[in-house]
Each structure stands twice: as C-alpha cells, then as structure tokens.
Amino acid sequence: QNAAAAGTRYQLNEETGEYDVVEDADWQTEWKGRLDKIQTMSSDEVFAAARGAGNTDVKKSGGVEESAASKKRRALSGCRDDRLRQKAGGVANERECTARVLGGETDFILDAEIR
C-alpha cells in the first residue's frame, strides 16, 4: 500500500451500493469557502448557524426529521439570546425561557429563530 492510498477516504454511494473515493480539498480552500459564506450572512444568521439552525434545511431535504434532542439544544441556545427571546414574544428572562424549553415547549423560540 502506498502513502496516498492509506489516506484515501471512501463513502458509501446509496444508489449504487459501491464505495466512492472522497476527494478532499486542502484545509486552506475549505476555510476560504467557509469565510466567503460567512461574509454574505448577517450577524443574526451567523449566530443561528452556530446554534445548528443552518442544518435543519439539509436534514429536511434529505428526508430526515430533526430529533427532539436537537430541537431542545437549539432552543436552549436561543434562550441565551436577548434579541431572540424578544422575538419569541417577550419572554421575560433566560430562566423562564429555559424552564419552558426543559418542560418540552420548544416551538416558541425555534419559530422566533426563523422570523
């Protein structure tokens, strides 16, 4: 085995059942792409993406429903954002918001994230 083959990554192709070689770009190119994407986003969009909100569209398009645990993590993160709590109908404080999320109510803050 040569050094190039040892570092080769493979991914299962769901359509053919075969393994395809994954072509990785160098890290500088990857980070440049991320930087370019972030520069087109508002600060609210950047924070929403950091909370995982950017992945929900990818999950939905792939036919995967977001888990309750994932929604709870995003909602708890949203509770720490003053502006998001205000968008959610003026939730008084972080403690009240967190209590509602831990009680199973996540839609109020997640819907505010989308607005």
Side-chain angles (χ1 to χ4, degrees), residues 54-111:
N55 296 337
T56 57
D57 294 336
V58 174
K59 289 177 183 178
K60 287 178 186 172
S61 68
V64 176
E65 185 66 29
E66 184 178 17
S67 70
S70 176
K71 286 181 181 181
K72 188 178 278 189
R73 277 191 301 274
R74 287 194 307 114
L76 286 170
S77 176
C79 283
R80 293 189 297 263
D81 185 334
D82 293 337
R83 287 182 292 176
L84 196 55
R85 284 197 317 270
Q86 289 304 314
K87 284 168 117 180
V91 178
N93 56 42
E94 188 175 334
R95 176 178 264 170
E96 177 189 332
C97 182
T98 300
R100 286 176 67 179
V101 170
L102 292 177
E105 189 180 349
T106 59
D107 290 340
F108 76 98
I109 195 83
L110 295 180
D111 290 345

Side-chain angles (χ1 to χ4, degrees), residues 34 36-50:
R34 292 174 186 169
D36 291 343
K37 184 175 182 178
I38 288 173
Q39 289 177 335
T40 65
M41 299 166 73
S42 71
S43 61
D44 287 341
E45 290 172 327
V46 171
F47 284 113

